[in-house]
Amino acid sequence: MNKGTWRLKVKKDFAAAHQLRNYGGKCENIHGHNFGVEVEIEGNKLDSKIEILMDFKVLKNELSAVLETLDHKHLNEIEYFKHRNPSSENLARYVYEEMKKRVETDGIKLVYASVSENDSSVATYSEA
């Protein structure tokens, strides 16, 4: 019996504009980013037929569906962000919450969701 854990990670990106309320600087003005997104799942049981945790294609498609709700949008106008700042931190939480609904099963857990504004600035959200 295997006691190990497998983790799968996928990355995608999207472009969007936002304004950070109460920031007190340039980022309070509307501006855009090409956001990078990364999600990771884990599980300890592989599919019995093809011995995979989840098809990467399925995981990427689920992430694409979530990012479609953000891509080329003014994030402040999305219902989720009407009363939350569309910061990278809150974007990571949004992606996490939406992905959790889509990928978690009895044997698969979402580990985290990360959102980056550039290569050197990353926000990660998890419920661990």
Side-chain angles (χ1 to χ4, degrees):
M1 172 139 273
N2 179 46
K3 296 186 190 270
T5 300
W6 289 272
R7 287 189 172 191
L8 302 181
K9 182 187 314 182
V10 295
K11 300 177 182 184
K12 293 195 79 59
D13 54 46
F14 72 97
H18 68 165
Q19 297 167 268
L20 296 179
R21 298 175 198 94
N22 306 310
Y23 183 77
K26 289 181 180 181
C27 291
E28 215 165 327
N29 298 321
I30 190 167
H31 63 285
H33 296 281
N34 290 319
F35 292 96
V37 178
E38 177 178 291
V39 296
E40 185 172 293
I41 61 169
E42 72 176 10
N44 56 15
K45 183 180 176 189
L46 299 182
D47 173 271
S48 62
K49 290 182 182 176
I50 52 179
E51 298 181 328
I52 61 173
L53 182 63
M54 176 184 278
D55 190 329
F56 279 112
K57 178 174 61 179
V58 171
L59 186 55
K60 286 179 184 176
N61 286 343
E62 295 297 349
L63 181 55
S64 291
V66 170
L67 298 185
E68 186 64 29
T69 66
L70 304 172
D71 192 38
H72 284 79
K73 304 264 174 47
H74 182 195
L75 300 176
N76 298 64
E77 296 175 355
I78 294 172
E79 189 60 38
Y80 188 89
F81 297 108
K82 293 231 176 175
H83 303 288
R84 291 181 184 95
N85 243 344
S87 62
S88 292
E89 293 85 348
N90 281 333
L91 281 164
R93 178 171 48 185
Y94 173 83
V95 171
Y96 183 95
E97 290 172 356
E98 294 302 310
M99 284 297 290
K100 183 176 179 176
K101 295 176 202 173
R102 293 171 169 274
V103 301
E104 284 204 353
T105 64
D106 186 33
I108 296 175
K109 180 184 183 311
L110 183 61
V111 178
Y112 68 82
S114 292
V115 172
S116 60
E117 295 183 1
N118 56 52
D119 289 339
S120 64
S121 305
V122 181
T124 300
Y125 180 80
S126 72
E127 293 181 347

